[in-house]
Amino acid sequence: MKKFVIVVTLLNFPHAYAETIYQWSDPWGQIQYSKTPVPGAMISDLTELPAPRETTEQQKQEAMVRKLQKMRQDNIRFSQVEVERQTLNTKELNDNVYCEQLRNLMFEVQLANLRQYSLPGFYLVPGDFGHLQMDLSREIRQKCR
C-alpha cells in the first residue's frame, strides 16, 4: 500500500508544482508565452515556457499590411451598410409622402361626394366618385400600413 501511495505521489508531483503558462498574441500577430498573465491571455497547455521568439521586421510589415487591409474592408462594409440604410430611409420617406397624398386625395373625393349629395337622406347614395373611392381605398390598404 505504501508503494502505491509513493508511486501515485511521484506521478502527480510534476503536475502539482507546474507553473501556469499563459498564451497571448502580440501586436504583430505572433503567439507569445509568459508565466505572468497579460490582458487577453489564455492558459496554455504547455508545461514549460518555450524560448521567446523575436518578431522580424518582415513579420511586422506583413502584420501592418494585414491590419490595413482589414481596416479597408471594414470601411468598405461600413460604406455599403450606410448606403443601404440611406436608400431604405429614402424609400420609407417616399412611401410616407405617397400615402399622405393618397389619403388627401381620398378626403377630397369624399368631400366632393358630400357636396354633390348634400340633400338630407342622400349622403348614403354613392356618387360619381364611388369607383375612385374604392380604388383609392384598395391602394391605401395595400401600400399604407
Side-chain angles (χ1 to χ4, degrees):
M1 182 69 171
K2 288 183 182 182
K3 289 181 183 180
F4 178 73
V5 172
I6 293 172
V7 169
V8 170
T9 305
L10 289 176
L11 287 176
N12 287 329
F13 183 73
H15 300 291
Y17 293 103
E19 294 185 51
T20 304
I21 305 294
Y22 296 95
Q23 174 181 337
W24 50 280
S25 180
D26 67 7
W28 310 113
Q30 298 296 318
I31 302 296
Q32 300 291 337
Y33 299 94
S34 65
K35 291 183 180 180
T36 58
V38 176
M42 300 182 332
I43 296 176
S44 174
D45 293 335
L46 299 177
T47 55
E48 293 181 16
L49 191 63
R53 290 181 281 163
E54 289 295 320
T55 306
T56 65
E57 284 301 315
Q58 182 179 359
Q59 290 171 328
K60 290 179 183 180
Q61 289 175 355
E62 289 171 355
M64 287 299 278
V65 167
R66 283 192 304 270
K67 190 174 275 191
L68 286 173
Q69 287 173 343
K70 185 178 181 324
M71 288 172 59
R72 284 186 189 129
Q73 290 172 350
D74 290 345
N75 286 339
I76 289 171
R77 268 191 237 113
F78 177 76
S79 297
Q80 290 171 343
V81 167
E82 187 65 22
V83 166
E84 289 173 5
R85 188 184 64 78
Q86 288 177 353
T87 302
L88 286 175
N89 285 345
T90 303
K91 184 184 179 314
E92 185 178 346
L93 287 174
N94 289 340
D95 289 347
N96 289 341
V97 167
Y98 179 68
C99 288
E100 188 65 28
Q101 289 172 343
L102 283 176
R103 288 185 185 106
N104 288 339
L105 185 59
M106 176 66 105
F107 177 75
E108 289 174 15
V109 167
Q110 289 171 342
L111 190 62
N113 248 350
L114 285 176
R115 279 194 205 122
Q116 186 176 5
Y117 295 99
S118 60
L119 297 174
F122 288 104
Y123 60 90
L124 295 176
V125 177
D128 296 334
F129 304 106
H131 66 283
L132 187 57
Q133 249 182 301
M134 289 177 15
D135 291 344
L136 285 172
S137 294
R138 187 179 319 113
E139 186 76 11
I140 289 172
R141 278 194 312 271
Q142 289 175 353
K143 304 271 172 117
C144 308
R145 294 177 195 235

